[in-house]
Amino acid sequence: MSKVIKERKDVDQSLTWDLSAFYSKEEEYNADVEMCKKLTSEIEEGYKGKLYTAENINECLDKLKKLNEVANKAGSYSSLSVSVDYGNRENQERSMKFSNIVSDLFSRLSFIDSELIQADEAVIEEAISNSKENANYLKDIKRDKKHALHPEAERVLAALSSTLGAPYTIYGKTKLTDMNFKSFTVDGEEHPLSFGLFEGEWEFENNTKLRRAAFEAFSSKLREYQNTVAAAYQTQVQKEKTMATLRGFDSVIDSLLFPQKVDRELYNRQIDLIMEKLAPHMRKYAKLLQKIHKIDEMTFMDLKLAVDPDYEPNITVEESKKYIEEALGVLGEDYLEMIKRAYDERWIDFVQNKGKSTGAFCASPYAVHPFILISWTEKMREVFVLAHELGHAGHFHLCGQTQNIFDTRPSLYFIEAPSTMNEMLMANHLMKVNDEPRFKRWVLSSMIGRTYYHNFVTHLLEAAYQREVYNIIDNGGSVQASTLNELKRSVLEKFWGDDVKITEGAELTWMRQPHYYMGLYPYTYSAGLTVATEVSKRIIKEGQPAVDDWREVLKAGGTKTPVELSKMAGVDITTDKPLLDTIEHIGNIIDEIVRLTEEIEG
């Protein structure tokens, strides 16, 4: 695709997603908003002050499930409309209006959890035994009991939910609307720049002069907004600290791990072992890139280079179908059918346009089907990105057919396992279809340079940095742009050592990710990929039985804890072994890339 960034109205509509799957006209959306209000009134009038019998409890929760389905559908529609064009005023207004409406409605319904927390234990147990669909919701209520606030306080917090989400909104608007990147000039030629262009293309540019000039221009624009973004982030973490204290947690970290249903041991292990054990392998990989590209000094600006950039084929959206279907078809005929529908029914937004959210994501509204956002650069690496997002889609598509809306979403700790599993399946497939050394090296280096780098380096270094931020906040401190820059630089220098120069601008990478507004999310990428790596090795070794186990995991949704889900897949994450095995696996891949490079060059 061209590096000229178009307005949304000017892009090829066939490469955009089709949100009419939600509503064919605005009146239908408005009707669902009114339905949300109606259901809320029915629940409030019918059950407020009456949740003292098992029958009333289950009747109320059944109505709440219906409300959640309708609200999830309408909310997904309004937010997805914004994500492809943050400059569209009409979509922004719709989304903000819906957010305010939902805040009010769920504030009125905060009595449900408050009354359930205060209900007689025997009544709750009776309600659990009488309704399998509501059982997990009620078990979580019992678990939340010691951290619940006074009912009126819970009502106020629910009413403020839209306001409390403001830091993320401010960050998104600053990044995608206010940051107006100018073109940059190299050897008298102008080149366009945007968030999407930099992260999708310029970071991977083979020409060192162009790549570094793009990085410097990109960093210069980020620096102009560092104090604004730091203020939004400070507000976010201080809000999280306040909430943690109100709910009786000693630490922000403990409060954010609580809903994930994992403990500090799993969290710290993921960060500490990777920082210590993976760093030597990745430094070896960086030195290989330096040698291949004949770079005098390896810098942070050069880490996204490909081992063999001249070999990576260009690929169109249409051409990607064959690879995706062949690699992921192993997960079953119904899974393959979902993939075909995703292409044919326009579940995927491929185009690049001004104001579009950066990166890639998958939204999985319960009442419709998944939607995937990606900015296709016509490089083969995008096949891995799309496989990743289809992993999320397949996960929620399967559990959405099996579980009710209360039970579809697993712990955040496990959320990236199905997505990274698909990247492993893609690599395994490609290794089977072509045994030529250069092709094998490209596949293996794609795994290291994209899959593992993205999840075990980029996001893991975010996690290490994020932990330091929360330690400061827990100790009563605050964070400004200068503090955040110092923390980020320190983490990068610790990981890369003397093998990679952390150039000016690298410290600003904390401004690039929205994950810091989503709780303890960054570390979960490596956690999910650890599980995926171990399960993918099982699939290669055992075949269908391992696939069958994995499909059951996908269907289980949020009915199991991360430890239970992992054990279903044959992985024990309560020990160091899976993570150490995965790090060893990464090291072996890097060694094989080095060997293949020597063979090819020899």
Side-chain angles (χ1 to χ4, degrees):
M1 293 180 179
S2 170
K3 288 186 179 179
V4 175
I5 299 298
K6 298 180 179 180
E7 298 287 341
R8 182 69 178 181
K9 61 182 176 59
D10 297 324
V11 300
D12 182 352
Q13 293 301 303
S14 69
L15 295 175
T16 64
W17 56 27
D18 181 11
L19 295 186
S20 68
F22 284 102
Y23 307 104
S24 60
K25 49 190 176 182
E26 194 73 9
E27 288 79 6
E28 294 173 353
Y29 164 77
N30 292 331
D32 265 1
V33 174
E34 292 305 311
M35 175 62 74
C36 289
K37 296 176 182 178
K38 179 175 181 290
L39 287 168
T40 298
S41 296
E42 289 178 3
I43 295 170
E44 189 177 25
E45 293 165 9
Y47 300 100
K48 189 171 185 178
K50 301 175 184 177
L51 297 181
Y52 45 76
T53 68
E55 182 180 8
N56 280 359
I57 288 171
N58 282 321
E59 285 181 1
C60 177
L61 292 182
D62 288 343
K63 279 189 174 289
L64 181 62
K65 280 200 293 287
K66 177 61 178 176
L67 169 60
N68 283 352
E69 289 179 17
V70 179
N72 177 253
K73 180 181 178 183
S76 297
Y77 171 71
S78 63
S79 66
L80 291 178
S81 300
V82 170
S83 67
V84 291
D85 187 359
Y86 270 78
N88 185 298
R89 180 177 174 180
E90 180 183 348
N91 291 341
Q92 286 275 9
E93 289 178 350
R94 183 200 296 115
S95 180
M96 185 58 68
K97 182 178 179 181
F98 184 78
S99 179
N100 291 334
I101 290 170
V102 165
S103 294
D104 173 62
L105 297 183
F106 281 92
S107 171
R108 288 164 54 190
L109 296 179
S110 65
F111 77 87
I112 297 174
D113 287 0
S114 295
E115 288 190 26
L116 291 177
I117 284 169
Q118 295 173 343
D120 185 271
E121 189 83 11
V123 174
I124 295 296
E125 289 300 328
E126 182 184 353
I128 289 173
S129 65
N130 289 346
S131 175
K132 182 182 177 182
E133 286 213 340
N134 298 331
N136 289 310
Y137 186 98
L138 291 168
K139 289 175 184 176
D140 284 342
I141 287 291
K142 290 174 61 178
R143 184 172 179 265
D144 294 343
K145 190 168 186 175
K146 67 177 180 178
H147 297 295
L149 304 178
H150 185 279
E152 185 60 19
E154 295 288 2
R155 186 191 70 78
V156 171
L157 288 175
L160 288 171
S161 61
S162 179
T163 303
L164 293 173
Y168 178 62
T169 302
I170 293 168
Y171 168 75
K173 287 192 174 184
T174 303
K175 171 181 171 180
L176 299 171
T177 305
D178 289 345
M179 287 190 192
N180 184 19
F181 291 88
K182 306 294 184 183
S183 59
F184 64 99
T185 304
V186 175
D187 294 334
E189 184 178 354
E190 282 197 11
H191 303 275
L193 183 64
S194 69
F195 240 104
L197 278 177
F198 179 76
E199 294 188 337
E201 300 192 29
W202 290 123
E203 271 196 305
F204 304 94
E205 170 62 47
N206 195 37
N207 183 307
T208 297
K209 197 171 184 179
L210 265 177
R211 182 179 65 256
R212 292 182 175 181
F215 180 89
E216 290 167 1
F218 182 73
S219 299
S220 177
K221 179 57 65 173
L222 290 185
R223 193 172 290 107
E224 292 177 17
Y225 289 87
Q226 61 180 322
N227 293 310
T228 299
V229 177
Y233 186 34
Q234 164 65 27
T235 304
Q236 172 71 19
V237 294
Q238 191 57 60
K239 173 196 74 176
E240 290 169 331
K241 176 60 177 175
T242 301
M243 296 295 290
T245 302
L246 286 173
R247 296 193 180 281
F249 291 98
D250 294 330
S251 164
V252 181
I253 292 173
D254 291 333
S255 72
L256 295 175
L257 285 176
F258 183 77
Q260 293 185 18
K261 299 181 180 177
V262 294
D263 58 28
R264 282 267 196 135
E265 183 181 358
L266 270 68
Y267 169 69
N268 286 326
R269 175 194 294 137
Q270 206 68 30
I271 297 173
D272 294 335
L273 279 182
I274 294 176
M275 287 292 290
E276 177 189 356
K277 303 291 187 182
L278 181 64
H281 297 300
M282 294 309 301
R283 291 174 190 177
K284 179 189 289 188
Y285 181 72
K287 297 298 283 186
L288 176 65
L289 290 176
Q290 181 180 5
K291 178 184 175 183
I292 288 173
H293 290 272
K294 298 179 174 59
I295 298 172
D296 291 337
E297 182 178 43
M298 190 68 181
T299 75
F300 184 80
M301 297 181 283
D302 309 315
L303 287 169
K304 293 293 183 71
L305 280 168
V307 166
D308 195 346
D310 296 329
Y311 187 81
E312 180 176 9
N314 290 333
I315 185 167
T316 66
V317 168
E318 183 64 29
E319 290 167 343
S320 71
K321 291 181 184 179
K322 178 177 182 290
Y323 292 97
I324 293 288
E325 291 176 5
E326 289 178 353
L328 305 185
V330 66
L331 295 176
E333 284 298 321
D334 55 344
Y335 203 99
L336 182 59
E337 179 61 27
M338 179 209 71
I339 291 169
K340 291 179 178 178
R341 287 185 61 198
Y343 279 98
D344 296 343
E345 298 175 16
R346 290 172 54 203
W347 297 7
I348 308 167
D349 200 89
F350 290 101
V351 296
Q352 295 185 40
N353 62 261
K354 189 175 182 180
K356 182 176 178 177
S357 183
T358 61
F361 67 74
C362 175
S364 299
Y366 185 80
V368 195
H369 58 63
F371 288 85
I372 292 170
L373 179 144
I374 186 173
S375 293
W376 197 262
T377 61
E378 296 195 345
K379 296 295 183 184
M380 189 68 179
R381 62 177 177 263
E382 301 295 2
V383 174
F384 282 96
V385 180
L386 184 52
H388 177 106
E389 300 306 335
L390 283 166
H392 289 305
H395 183 195
F396 289 109
H397 192 63
L398 283 174
C399 69
Q401 294 174 335
T402 310
Q403 309 295 342
N404 70 78
I405 195 168
F406 286 162
D407 292 339
T408 54
R409 200 158 189 86
S411 161
L412 197 60
Y413 182 95
F414 199 82
I415 210 80
E416 294 297 337
S419 55
T420 51
M421 165 60 84
N422 278 15
E423 294 190 56
M424 307 303 292
L425 293 176
M426 177 58 68
N428 293 345
H429 168 70
L430 292 174
M431 291 292 284
K432 282 191 281 187
V433 300
N434 191 332
D435 198 40
E436 195 270 324
R438 198 174 178 192
F439 182 81
K440 284 180 65 177
R441 184 178 69 163
W442 175 79
V443 175
L444 293 174
S445 62
S446 293
M447 288 301 295
I448 296 299
R450 235 222 60 81
T451 299
Y452 283 112
Y453 190 99
H454 188 66
N455 298 288
F456 263 71
V457 180
T458 298
H459 292 319
L460 194 281
L461 295 182
E462 289 172 15
Y465 154 85
Q466 185 182 45
R467 185 171 63 175
E468 295 304 311
V469 170
Y470 284 132
N471 285 337
I472 290 173
I473 299 301
D474 273 337
N475 289 322
S478 62
V479 288
Q480 290 76 42
S482 58
T483 307
L484 296 173
N485 290 341
E486 289 170 11
L487 288 176
K488 188 63 181 180
R489 175 173 288 279
S490 175
V491 168
L492 292 172
E493 289 175 343
K494 180 180 178 181
F495 187 83
W496 291 110
D498 295 330
D499 294 301
V500 177
K501 180 181 179 181
I502 307 305
T503 44
E504 186 178 353
E507 74 280 1
L508 296 169
T509 54
W510 63 267
M511 296 177 64
R512 292 168 56 180
Q513 287 290 356
H515 297 141
Y516 303 125
Y517 302 84
M518 303 175 185
L520 292 177
Y521 191 13
Y523 90 102
T524 66
Y525 280 86
S526 62
L529 184 50
T530 299
V531 175
T533 300
E534 295 301 284
V535 177
S536 69
K537 289 192 287 187
R538 266 198 72 201
I539 290 176
I540 291 174
K541 184 178 179 180
E542 302 174 27
Q544 196 60 44
V547 171
D548 292 342
D549 286 347
W550 187 243
R551 283 178 56 87
E552 290 306 307
V553 169
L554 298 181
K555 291 177 183 177
T559 63
K560 306 285 184 183
T561 68
V563 170
E564 291 169 336
L565 289 169
S566 299
K567 283 186 176 178
M568 285 174 66
V571 183
D572 184 3
I573 60 172
T574 64
T575 71
D576 290 358
K577 189 176 186 303
L579 182 52
L580 290 174
D581 285 350
T582 298
I583 292 172
E584 181 183 11
H585 180 68
I586 295 170
N588 291 339
I589 293 175
I590 292 172
D591 287 343
E592 179 66 6
I593 294 170
V594 172
R595 188 195 68 77
L596 286 168
T597 299
E598 291 171 351
E599 177 185 334
I600 292 165
E601 292 180 350

